[in-house]
Amino acid sequence: MSAVSASAPPRQWRDGELAILLLLPIALINAIGFILPVLNLARYSFNRSRIGGGIETVFTWENWAGLLSDRFYLELVFNSVWISLAITLTTLIASYPIALYLHRASGAWRTFLTVLVISPLLTSAVVRTYGWIAILIDDGPVVSAIKAVGLPAPSLMFNIKGVFIGLTEILMPYMILALMAGFGRLDPRVEEAARTLGATPARTFTKVILPLTLPGIALGCLLCFVLAVSSFITPKLMGGGRVFLLATEIYDQAIVTLNWPLASTLSMLVLIVFGAALWAYSVVLRRLD
Amino acid sequence: MSSAPEEHLRLQEIGVSFGNVNVIPSLDLSVRKGEMVAFLGPSGCGKTTTLRVIAGLNKPSQGRIIVGGRDITHLPIHDRDMGMVFQSYALFPHMNVSRNVAFGLQMRKVSGRDAEARAAQALEMVQLGHLSHRKPKELSGGQQQRVALARALVIEPSILLLDEPLSNLDAKLRDEMRVQIRALQQQSGITAVFVTHDQVEALSMCDRVVVMRGGNVEQFGTPTEVYERPATAFVANFVGRTNRLKGRITSEGVLTAAGQQLRSATTLAPGAVDVLVRPHRIRLQETADAANEVQGTVSSITFIGDLVQYGVRVDDEEVVVEEATRRDRRPLAVSDKVTLGWSAEDTLVYPAGEK
């Protein structure tokens, strides 16, 4: 105590000075760890690839032109976006009731359930993906159960269905956390007001709860869409090499074919897709306010 | 038309439990058509819970709620036709003022244009017609409160339920809103229940007051009855301020306190008693016609402006006396000898130890 009082009075920071100082570390990390690599990727996408993984440092539009004129890649982009949107929607529908319940729960019960929801994040996605493979594989418990009931056995693994199921489950914790973060405006008194004014539970949901939780929905969808588009391990393992998405193709081009300029161009394309998603999100948010 | 006012709301043996806690043991109450009744009591007395039971927001563990002769105990919230004003106003933050007010009409399938017109009318009624396109967060507390009131009244509910509607407003606004709410209630002739912990609100706005404690009704009467003839020492203490003197009633029925014999309008069985006298009912010096007269010494003086508060030592007890400030008499000074006088009607006697 005495040491503190004996020292000189703390220097008064001017507005902004402190903010800049506090933001500097993260800005530096971002610059070195994110912006520079991305610029590097952008540069590669205008270089030419040589057989055997070499890069010819010339400026060329070849990669971009090739990509945009190749049906395979256009379909790849379209499929990736479409599947990711569908997975995002499924994740939202599966997560929303859980998030709403958690938002309303209180005390130790809420803490327990929240930990339960977050706990999958403590396990690596690789492990969880293998878990899903074990569950969904052709003679696994789910298929056996369906067969036992007498229904035709579906093929749930090493195709798009498996990717869909696995990714939905893997993304749910993120969606639930994002939804809960966005549920701040949902005041139980406001719901009660709607009920006393004559709204049935269903109309209270559509007229009050849903509109008030839209910011959370928008945030959760943005987050899960970005994660779905960029997810690599789950589609790679659960797709069994038959599901082609942007992330898996980038991996193949970069690691298997060693065509770094093409991998870079695809990565830039993913970045453009993310930019579009972010733009859509900001439009939605502005509409809401 | 019979002159006896018709009963509109009846609570029959209503009990409420939260888990293992029995918040309201058994409550009976009858509210007449068109009257405004206050539920008055300290926090945790069950007043808000009772209001929420009427609205259907809390389920009673026993008993019946009857409105206009119809049992609504098991009716869902949205079919109860109650207009509720919440303490936090609970306006819909995503709707503008006009849509907030029209919400209840919309739920009642009133056509769009009709609902709009009635909402506009209700907003005029609370002098907010010019703000109909604002969002709730762009309004002041008082304005939000009036929107909440318009929203509750526009559906012409069976009962208007007000849950501490004034407690989030500053003092001056509270006075204005008190008058306005009462005027609106009387104009529309609506039956209203007003929950408050503020005795001034209860006494000044309401036809009758229910004083509650620990989930029980301590007294149900007009403001004058509750103030002048408190049924229990708790009511006397909670509604208005009082002095409390330790006393006894002898086997001959003689009341003594502060070292001398006192006269009271109430009679009680012999034993230890508490004698309660309101500070402003005690007169200083001019005690010619007072039924009770005691001597004391001024020990403290607090000047409040329109009032002077004297602390007077009587026997070994401290008595607070309030007097309007006046110019015709020399102000008293500390350690002046004074005579205190009050009437037998103002001497309230309760069994000792009642809190």
Side-chain angles (χ1 to χ4, degrees):
Chain A
M1 281 300 278
S2 59
V4 170
S5 54
S7 68
R11 179 168 171 256
Q12 286 294 308
W13 294 95
R14 242 177 288 142
D15 273 0
E17 260 181 15
L18 191 63
I20 288 170
L21 196 77
L22 289 172
L23 284 172
L24 207 58
I26 190 70
L28 272 175
I29 290 171
N30 247 320
I32 297 167
F34 178 66
I35 294 178
L36 281 181
V38 166
L39 288 177
N40 208 25
L41 272 182
R43 197 179 54 123
Y44 282 156
S45 77
F46 292 105
N47 288 164
R48 183 174 295 147
S49 88
R50 287 215 198 106
I51 312 281
I55 294 171
E56 198 180 325
T57 49
V58 290
F59 180 84
T60 171
W61 289 94
E62 280 170 15
N63 302 308
W64 286 95
L67 209 90
L68 296 175
S69 59
D70 190 331
R71 266 194 75 95
F72 173 75
Y73 286 115
L74 289 181
E75 263 172 40
L76 191 70
V77 173
F78 181 78
N79 274 348
S80 285
V81 170
W82 190 87
I83 290 170
S84 297
L85 282 176
I87 288 173
T88 302
L89 186 68
T90 320
T91 311
L92 173 67
I93 292 169
S95 306
Y96 193 92
I98 299 174
L100 198 59
Y101 183 83
L102 273 174
H103 177 72
R104 290 176 179 172
S106 60
W109 181 234
R110 182 193 169 125
T111 312
F112 172 73
L113 289 177
T114 309
V115 169
L116 208 63
V117 160
I118 298 171
S119 58
L121 294 178
L122 304 177
T123 321
S124 104
V126 181
V127 175
R128 285 155 73 199
T129 301
Y130 275 117
W132 273 113
I133 292 175
I135 292 170
L136 296 177
I137 205 154
D138 277 351
D139 45 5
V142 172
V143 174
S144 307
I146 293 173
K147 271 195 228 162
V149 188
L151 292 170
S155 174
L156 294 176
M157 191 39 60
F158 305 129
N159 54 33
I160 192 68
K161 281 178 235 158
V163 176
F164 214 98
I165 295 171
L167 264 185
T168 299
E169 187 269 338
I170 282 164
L171 293 179
M172 272 177 70
Y174 298 102
M175 179 65 93
I176 292 172
L177 288 179
L179 285 175
M180 284 174 71
F183 281 2
R185 287 212 296 177
L186 194 61
D187 173 2
R189 295 282 171 269
V190 170
E191 291 173 48
E192 289 179 352
R195 300 281 282 118
T196 61
L197 288 166
T200 58
R203 297 198 85 184
T204 305
F205 181 78
T206 56
K207 292 274 178 183
V208 176
I209 299 175
L210 200 58
L212 287 179
T213 53
L214 276 181
I217 293 175
L219 178 65
C221 286
L222 173 71
L223 189 66
C224 287
F225 176 74
V226 166
L227 287 173
V229 169
S230 57
S231 69
F232 158 70
I233 290 169
T234 308
K236 188 84 188 161
L237 295 180
M238 297 185 80
R242 264 166 278 176
V243 176
F244 295 101
L245 295 173
L246 271 169
T248 54
E249 183 62 21
I250 291 169
Y251 175 86
D252 286 346
Q253 289 299 337
I255 305 299
V256 181
T257 321
L258 292 180
N259 186 344
W260 280 34
L262 184 56
S264 302
T265 314
L266 285 169
S267 302
M268 294 313 290
L269 213 57
V270 170
L271 211 59
I272 291 168
V273 169
F274 288 172
L278 208 59
W279 173 79
Y281 171 73
S282 69
V283 166
V284 168
L285 266 205
R286 226 175 306 138
R287 279 273 189 83
L288 288 179
D289 224 49
Chain B
M1 278 263 305
S2 72
S3 60
E6 192 189 330
E7 175 186 85
H8 187 60
L9 164 70
R10 167 174 284 280
L11 300 183
Q12 242 171 29
E13 290 170 26
I14 286 293
V16 183
S17 300
F18 294 139
N20 294 326
V21 188
N22 196 0
V23 187
I24 296 170
S26 178
L27 193 129
D28 286 275
L29 207 67
S30 167
V31 176
R32 297 174 197 138
K33 198 166 186 62
E35 78 173 335
M36 177 131 141
V37 167
F39 289 179
L40 174 66
S43 50
C45 74
K47 54 192 193 298
T48 295
T49 305
T50 310
L51 193 81
R52 290 172 59 85
V53 164
I54 299 172
L57 298 170
N58 284 358
K59 292 253 166 292
S61 48
Q62 61 164 61
R64 301 202 302 155
I65 310 152
I66 294 150
V67 175
R70 179 165 167 238
D71 189 335
I72 64 158
T73 317
H74 301 291
L75 219 55
I77 308 166
H78 57 270
D79 285 334
R80 291 202 178 200
D81 200 24
M82 300 286 168
M84 183 140 171
V85 176
F86 292 80
Q87 184 172 7
S88 57
Y89 318 134
L91 298 177
F92 305 124
H94 57 302
M95 299 182 192
N96 67 23
V97 165
S98 151
R99 289 190 49 214
N100 258 282
V101 177
F103 185 84
L105 298 170
Q106 235 179 29
M107 293 303 121
R108 281 165 176 71
K109 309 268 191 299
V110 176
S111 78
R113 198 193 275 168
D114 227 21
E116 224 169 274
R118 279 170 66 184
Q121 208 180 344
L123 280 171
E124 283 307 327
M125 188 175 71
V126 293
Q127 291 116 45
L128 283 180
H130 58 296
L131 297 180
S132 60
H133 292 292
R134 294 263 184 96
K135 284 279 182 72
K137 67 173 177 208
E138 297 162 341
L139 301 180
S140 71
Q143 288 167 338
Q144 290 188 34
Q145 215 270 347
R146 274 141 67 194
V147 174
L149 197 61
R151 184 178 69 174
L153 282 172
V154 75
I155 57 173
E156 291 167 8
S158 161
I159 302 174
L160 179 64
L161 304 171
L162 303 139
D163 184 12
E164 306 237 14
L166 306 178
S167 58
N168 288 340
L169 303 178
D170 60 53
K172 194 167 173 294
L173 205 53
R174 198 151 51 212
D175 289 345
E176 280 175 33
M177 283 311 296
R178 236 167 32 207
V179 176
Q180 198 176 11
I181 290 177
R182 177 59 162 165
L184 284 172
Q185 183 264 329
Q186 285 182 320
Q187 273 166 34
S188 53
I190 193 171
T191 311
V193 178
F194 187 103
V195 163
T196 178
H197 62 268
D198 180 0
Q199 43 141 332
V200 179
E201 284 172 16
L203 298 180
S204 65
M205 292 175 69
C206 298
D207 298 294
R208 290 197 293 165
V209 179
V210 183
V211 184
M212 293 180 70
R213 178 170 65 144
N216 291 307
V217 174
E218 290 271 315
Q219 187 171 6
F220 187 13
T222 64
T224 324
E225 281 165 5
V226 167
Y227 189 83
E228 298 291 354
R229 292 188 295 283
T232 62
F234 171 80
V235 175
N237 262 320
F238 194 78
V239 183
R241 279 152 302 156
T242 63
N243 290 295
R244 185 195 284 260
L245 305 171
K246 283 192 207 64
R248 303 200 50 78
I249 295 180
T250 64
S251 47
E252 291 84 43
V254 179
L255 171 67
T256 57
Q260 70 179 79
Q261 192 174 329
L262 295 177
R263 273 192 280 171
S264 164
T266 40
T267 47
L268 225 62
V273 292
D274 284 328
V275 178
L276 274 60
V277 189
R278 299 211 185 271
H280 69 282
R281 291 291 165 83
I282 301 175
R283 275 161 293 161
L284 289 166
Q285 309 298 34
E286 298 142 11
T287 55
D289 56 343
N292 296 306
E293 212 180 274
V294 301
Q295 308 297 319
T297 314
V298 176
S299 60
S300 69
I301 301 172
T302 312
F303 178 76
I304 305 176
D306 47 354
L307 284 178
V308 188
Q309 212 171 56
Y310 295 103
V312 181
R313 193 118 208 106
V314 176
D315 202 30
D316 56 353
E317 297 198 82
E318 183 88 1
V319 175
V320 176
V321 180
E322 277 174 8
E323 197 178 49
T325 41
R326 45 201 285 181
R327 294 186 180 283
D328 60 328
R329 198 181 65 198
R330 184 183 69 85
L332 295 168
V334 172
S335 47
D336 278 0
K337 298 274 181 230
V338 287
T339 309
L340 314 182
W342 66 88
S343 72
E345 287 75 26
D346 287 325
T347 314
L348 307 169
V349 186
Y350 301 95
E354 219 184 69
K355 254 197 79 95

